[in-house]
Amino acid sequence: MSGQHISRQEFPDDFIFGAATSSYQIEGTKLGTAGPSHWDDFAKRGGTVNNSNGDIACAHYEKWPEDLDLIKNAGMTAYRFSTAWPRIQPEGKGKPLTDGLDFYDKVIDGCLARGLEPHLTLYHWELPLALSEKGGWQTGDTAKYFADFAAIIAGRYGDRLSSIATINEPWCVAWLSHFLGHHAPGLTSLEAGVKSMHNILLAHGLGMEAIRNECDVNAGIVLNMEFGAIDSDKDEDIRARDLFDGIYNRWFIDAIFKGTYPDNVMEYFAPHMPEGWQEDMKAISQPIDWLGLNYYTRNFISDDGTGVFPFAKSHKGDLPKTSMNWEIYPEGLEFFLNRISAEYSKDIPIYVTENGMAWHDNVIDGNVEDDLRCEFFQVHLEAVKSAIENGVNVKGYFAWSLLDNFEWAFGYEERFGIVHVDFETQERTPKKSYYMLQNMLTS
Ligand code: FCB
């Protein structure tokens, strides 16, 4: 990897740099008033390291002014955050709670007062437990309740926001959580997985309609993509890799931009699709104003020899890895930016809404020397720059994450922040990567 320093001037003037977080990972659900979510339940059932949960997290519910100051002082001009549905509607439906509404008023006005563009994501994974118990994303009803929630948020804050995203990473919401079982609700059922793969898109579609009815904010969705590499030319390995790519990287974007699902995946999904799914495709494929791409890594995919769908196992290549054993492969980011532009839409404004890496960082004499993370940002920003030079309409980049936080199933073990958090004292310590970005953005 090159150690060269990339400068602000190498990006277009209107390109925005920001930091991203999500509500459950930082706010602290025991601070203020919030109903339980399926993540609280999943943590209790042993789904996370040490049964850790988001009860306190980074106490951002109280420390938000300090956190917004950190973003501003980094020289960034944008903040991507999400709204906790159970803080607004503890049961997932009904009258919104004043406490929750007031909190996001403060955060949004706090952004504007600091010259930060607020970019809001409606759903970054904490489904109200009451809805989860009624089938969650396995049912279309949840999508309808989500649209009501979207209307509340868009109606209240829409005119102050720079953008709204309906859903963060539908692949994680559906496949990772209902088929692979790694995230709440922790199911491992093909049928639950497939139903969720469609219903989360229905939620996006109905959510878009609800937002459009309330305000004229820029509305879109955030998709995550992972590069499916291959080191074989055997037919069965190619089949496994193409199915991986279909489920992970094509399912959602095909539906949104083309109104169809990939044939190779439908061959196996068809028997499990919700009844009447075809009628939802119009809402799902309505135009969006922008697209968010979250990118982290690649995996090599090959046939697992079981003869059972989705036939795939994965292994790592020999590139440097993060503490989560994720390979650092910036070419994948450039690949997806180019693919979106070439195969889906040349004009759609694309924002890299998450990119970053985990490391087991320590504060030593007041400093955190996260050199590998500095390098990580450099090489991924280079990749974004090449895509822009190639004509791709990339408009912004958000580092994941502002703070070390609750990293889902990994609890507090994996640190993604550009700012270190001491979870005992809640003290924030900017890392070397924070100062590197600050230097890049302010010099
Ligand atoms: C993404 C999630 C985000 C964070 C990063 C590491 O999949 O959107 O909340 O956990 O991964």
Side-chain angles (χ1 to χ4, degrees):
M1 290 191 284
S2 92
Q4 241 187 335
H5 264 256
I6 192 159
S7 74
R8 172 69 183 93
Q9 287 67 36
E10 293 171 71
F11 291 86
D13 287 346
D14 64 351
F15 190 91
I16 59 166
F17 288 90
T21 65
S22 91
S23 41
Y24 191 79
Q25 293 179 278
I26 64 166
E27 287 177 4
T29 56
K30 290 287 176 273
L31 308 173
T33 317
S37 79
H38 68 172
W39 267 97
D40 300 312
D41 177 62
F42 188 61
K44 266 189 227 143
R45 289 190 282 118
T48 63
V49 169
N50 300 327
N51 286 27
S52 52
N53 56 39
D55 282 3
I56 304 298
C58 306
H60 174 76
Y61 183 82
E62 287 161 359
K63 292 179 79 80
W64 62 268
E66 180 181 343
D67 295 339
L68 294 187
D69 286 345
L70 282 163
I71 305 172
K72 170 153 185 66
N73 293 336
M76 295 172 166
T77 58
Y79 177 40
R80 173 172 180 248
F81 63 100
S82 72
T83 40
W85 188 353
R87 215 182 254 301
I88 305 293
Q89 294 177 296
E91 307 264 300
K93 53 184 161 180
K95 204 170 164 291
L97 293 186
T98 316
D99 184 73
L101 291 173
D102 290 350
F103 172 64
Y104 296 111
D105 270 326
K106 287 188 278 185
V107 171
I108 291 164
D109 292 341
C111 283
L112 297 175
R114 289 167 179 80
L116 299 172
E117 293 181 1
H119 293 263
L120 183 151
T121 299
L122 288 166
Y123 184 77
H124 198 128
W125 306 355
E126 66 268 69
L127 185 68
L129 186 58
L131 294 186
S132 178
E133 286 170 349
K134 292 198 190 82
W137 293 115
Q138 293 176 72
T139 103
D141 290 345
T142 302
K144 293 185 192 137
Y145 291 123
F146 172 75
D148 297 340
F149 169 62
I152 295 171
I153 299 295
R156 173 104 172 189
Y157 312 111
D159 57 352
R160 282 174 280 166
L161 297 171
S162 293
S163 77
I164 294 189
T166 51
I167 306 290
N168 178 68
E169 301 190 348
W171 180 86
C172 291
V173 175
W175 202 244
L176 185 69
S177 308
H178 296 82
F179 178 74
L180 297 173
H182 297 181
H183 279 187
L187 301 180
T188 50
S189 140
L190 179 59
E191 177 164 5
V194 173
K195 295 221 161 33
S196 313
M197 289 287 277
H198 178 75
N199 287 327
I200 195 63
L201 278 166
L202 178 60
H204 160 72
L206 299 181
M208 285 293 298
E209 285 169 3
I211 296 165
R212 300 277 196 229
N213 283 337
E214 294 293 334
C215 61
D216 61 5
V217 69
N218 280 322
I221 185 168
V222 170
L223 305 179
N224 57 319
M225 296 188 182
E226 182 172 299
F227 191 83
I230 188 158
D231 51 9
S232 148
D233 55 12
K234 289 205 199 104
D235 285 349
E236 59 269 31
D237 292 326
I238 294 170
R239 175 181 69 172
R241 195 278 305 266
D242 288 351
L243 277 170
F244 168 90
D245 194 45
I247 296 169
Y248 208 130
N249 303 318
R250 292 215 187 256
W251 179 264
F252 304 101
I253 197 169
D254 275 17
I256 292 164
F257 284 91
K258 302 180 175 169
T260 57
Y261 286 131
D263 288 339
N264 66 333
V265 180
M266 272 309 270
E267 198 180 324
Y268 301 93
F269 275 21
H272 308 290
M273 291 293 284
E275 214 177 302
W277 63 270
Q278 294 87 343
E279 287 145 38
D280 302 332
M281 297 313 280
K282 189 153 172 259
I284 291 171
S285 60
Q286 70 190 279
I288 54 176
D289 302 318
W290 63 279
L291 180 69
L293 171 65
N294 293 355
Y295 174 80
Y296 289 95
T297 189
R298 76 169 176 184
N299 264 298
F300 282 86
I301 308 299
S302 57
D303 184 75
D304 65 2
T306 61
V308 177
F309 175 79
F311 314 108
K313 62 178 183 188
S314 67
H315 66 273
K316 306 288 170 187
D318 50 15
L319 299 174
K321 303 193 178 54
T322 76
S323 57
M324 288 168 85
N325 204 28
W326 292 3
E327 269 193 296
I328 300 176
Y329 184 63
E331 293 83 353
L333 176 56
E334 189 176 343
F335 169 84
F336 285 119
L337 292 170
N338 288 335
R339 181 197 259 188
I340 294 165
S341 178
E343 297 184 32
Y344 294 94
S345 167
K346 195 152 174 43
D347 303 321
I348 190 91
I350 306 171
Y351 291 81
V352 177
T353 32
E354 283 181 30
N355 180 234
M357 60 161 275
W359 198 251
H360 297 163
D361 304 300
N362 292 307
V363 183
I364 298 167
D365 298 332
N367 299 314
V368 183
E369 303 275 339
D370 59 340
D371 292 286
L372 188 59
R373 188 176 290 106
C374 293
E375 191 69 28
F376 183 100
F377 285 129
Q378 292 280 337
V379 292
H380 285 82
L381 285 169
E382 292 281 359
V384 173
K385 202 183 105 187
S386 317
I388 295 173
E389 284 163 2
N390 197 28
V392 184
N393 194 20
V394 197
K395 296 303 228 180
Y397 177 92
F398 292 82
W400 182 271
S401 180
L402 175 66
L403 303 169
D404 292 341
N405 58 45
F406 174 74
E407 180 43 41
W408 307 112
F410 296 91
Y412 295 93
E413 310 262 293
E414 299 295 347
R415 295 176 175 270
F416 272 91
I418 54 172
V419 175
H420 181 277
V421 176
D422 178 328
F423 294 107
E424 299 293 314
T425 63
Q426 292 299 340
E427 187 180 351
R428 275 76 167 136
T429 308
K431 303 179 188 176
K432 193 171 180 179
S433 56
Y434 174 95
Y435 293 114
M436 180 209 77
L437 290 168
Q438 182 187 54
N439 187 44
M440 170 189 163
L441 296 174
T442 56
S443 66

